[in-house]
Amino acid sequence: MSGYLRFLHSNRRWLLGGFALFLMSSFGQTFFVSLSAGDIRAEYGLSHGEFGSLFMLATLASALALTQIGSVVDRFGAAGVVLGVFAFLAAGAAAMALSSHVAALFVALFLLRLFGQGMMTHTSFTLMGRWFGRERGRATSVATLGLNTGEAILPLAVVALAALAGWRGTWWAAAVFLLVLVWPVSALMRSEREPDPVPEGGRELRARDWTRRQALRDPCFYLVAAAMAAPALIGNTVFFHQVYLVESRGWAPAAFAAAFTVYAVTTVVFNLVGGQLVDRFSAMRLVPVYLLPLGFGLVVLASVAGQWGAFAFMALYGVTNGLSLSLFGAVWPEVYGTAHLGSIRSVVVAVLVFASAAGPGMAGLFIDAGVPYSAQLAALGGYCLAVSAVMARAVPLLRARVLSQSVPSD
């Protein structure tokens, strides 16, 4: 514990900056946008499928844009990148508050998804991967606590604020909050950090640096991406249609919002645990097992009608999500190095953004078509279990390849 506290103290400015980026990403995350979904659909006369499709298209467009602008993290200083990302995300929040037409709503969703879910998390993950080596797992787990914090406090805060100021007032508040924090956060990022060297005789190896073109030609890239995309695909699907789930089960309106607290606490615990496990065993070794809790949680949510099913699912999803936050920041530099990490990760984040869009959009269309939601949840659970089985066979081969191609750290 004393060593962990020393790590936090000596790296506080970089860790706090990464934490702030993840916290601010909340304003573009599905769980936050979906809190206004009922009001938006009512105001614009959109069905579940229509709004889900609009959200999906905006998210897909943001994913394509991210592949083009994500490399700025490799080419420019962290402070300048943070200033730009904050400014555009605030513009997205203001655009949401001002929207008066479906086209304007699409633009607002595009900005929120690109610079919130996309660039905010991409920038923080890339900086933690580049700035830290031996302690990359712990650094990533601390930074991603920002998102956990947002998921824990913002749903209930938004419900209270919307009751006073309406859903548009809530988005105005988000825009102001971002503009107030942009300068302090960018100031934290003005000094770049050099990774700590491995002590002489240390066992740690550094993966050779792949370019993005080389990574995209590697079949292993797509296997790992399929495994790492599952939480984004599934979590966004469930969160986006949480109102429909609550209504179809006859639960109390605040039931799912309250379950977010359980999810957030569990995520925090296993995020910190995951950081320690990554630094001890490596990220790749955890990939085959981290989806199992989510798979079983989906089976519970699909088959249990009582409100306790929501809490059980959120607890199990929190286990997987907590582990995924540490894994997602560490597995890619383990496999492909750090020299082109921002460029490679921009594609990875685009894949996750695509998954987060496809899930809600397709689920909305299935709901409109009369497909039982419980069947959809069960199918997603099966996906988790199947991917885990595939990765159990693939990861040993991938680790052997990385070890054969890597070079000792300086």
Side-chain angles (χ1 to χ4, degrees), residues 103-195:
L105 176 62
F106 175 85
V107 172
L109 290 172
F110 170 77
L111 291 173
L112 291 171
R113 300 299 277 167
L114 175 57
F115 292 99
Q117 184 197 33
M119 281 300 295
M120 279 285 188
T121 60
H122 169 63
T123 301
S124 187
F125 270 131
T126 302
L127 293 177
M128 294 303 103
R130 190 166 69 209
W131 286 346
F132 294 88
R134 289 178 295 128
E135 298 168 321
R136 183 180 292 135
R138 279 188 285 181
T140 301
S141 68
V142 172
T144 53
L145 289 176
L147 180 57
N148 305 148
T149 302
E151 291 170 333
I153 65 176
L154 288 178
L156 293 177
V158 168
V159 170
L161 182 58
L164 296 174
W167 70 274
R168 292 184 185 274
T170 299
W171 284 105
W172 276 122
V176 172
F177 189 61
L178 286 162
L179 293 176
V180 168
L181 288 184
V182 59
W183 292 110
V185 175
S186 64
L188 292 171
M189 302 295 203
R190 285 175 188 163
S191 176
E192 300 272 345
R193 184 188 189 277
E194 290 295 327

Side-chain angles (χ1 to χ4, degrees), residues 46-350:
L46 300 174
S47 69
H48 290 283
E50 288 170 340
F51 184 51
S53 296
L54 186 70
F55 183 83
M56 178 176 66
L57 291 174
T59 304
L60 293 178
S62 74
L64 293 175
L66 184 62
T67 63
Q68 303 303 310
I69 68 173
S71 62
V72 299
V73 186
D74 293 329
R75 296 185 284 114
F76 297 99
V81 174
V82 167
L83 281 172
V85 173
F86 266 73
F88 280 106
L89 183 56
M96 179 67 84
L98 288 169
S99 63
S100 58
H101 189 274
V102 172
L105 176 62
F106 175 85
V107 172
L109 290 172
F110 170 77
L111 291 173
L112 291 171
R113 300 299 277 167
L114 175 57
F115 292 99
Q117 184 197 33
M119 281 300 295
M120 279 285 188
T121 60
H122 169 63
T123 301
S124 187
F125 270 131
T126 302
L127 293 177
M128 294 303 103
R130 190 166 69 209
W131 286 346
F132 294 88
R134 289 178 295 128
E135 298 168 321
R136 183 180 292 135
R138 279 188 285 181
T140 301
S141 68
V142 172
T144 53
L145 289 176
L147 180 57
N148 305 148
T149 302
E151 291 170 333
I153 65 176
L154 288 178
L156 293 177
V158 168
V159 170
L161 182 58
L164 296 174
W167 70 274
R168 292 184 185 274
T170 299
W171 284 105
W172 276 122
V176 172
F177 189 61
L178 286 162
L179 293 176
V180 168
L181 288 184
V182 59
W183 292 110
V185 175
S186 64
L188 292 171
M189 302 295 203
R190 285 175 188 163
S191 176
E192 300 272 345
R193 184 188 189 277
E194 290 295 327
D196 295 329
V198 177
E200 185 175 354
R203 295 181 302 162
E204 181 175 312
L205 297 176
R206 186 182 70 244
R208 74 174 180 87
D209 294 318
W210 296 56
T211 66
R212 182 163 80 173
R213 178 173 296 181
Q214 290 171 334
L216 292 179
R217 291 176 177 173
D218 178 25
C220 294
F221 176 89
Y222 300 97
L223 286 176
V224 179
M228 299 309 299
L233 169 70
I234 295 165
N236 281 276
T237 299
V238 176
F239 291 168
F240 190 82
H241 294 289
Q242 60 183 279
V243 174
Y244 175 76
L245 174 64
V246 170
E247 291 175 349
S248 65
R249 296 289 173 84
W251 294 342
F256 210 83
F260 268 102
T261 303
V262 175
Y263 159 76
V265 171
T266 310
T267 297
V268 168
V269 171
F270 282 89
N271 184 8
L272 296 174
V273 170
Q276 300 287 338
L277 293 175
V278 165
D279 290 341
R280 183 173 180 180
F281 298 109
S282 84
M284 281 186 288
R285 284 179 172 169
L286 299 180
V287 171
V289 299
Y290 92 104
L291 286 176
L292 296 178
L294 176 56
F296 292 122
L298 286 162
V299 172
V300 171
L301 191 62
S303 58
V304 173
Q307 286 185 179
W308 71 267
F311 288 86
F313 165 76
M314 292 296 255
L316 290 167
Y317 178 36
V319 175
T320 289
N321 194 53
L323 295 175
S324 75
L325 293 172
S326 298
L327 289 177
F328 191 69
V331 71
W332 302 106
E334 278 188 17
V335 179
Y336 297 112
T338 60
H340 305 284
L341 184 58
S343 181
I344 293 171
R345 280 191 46 79
S346 68
V347 178
V348 176
V349 175

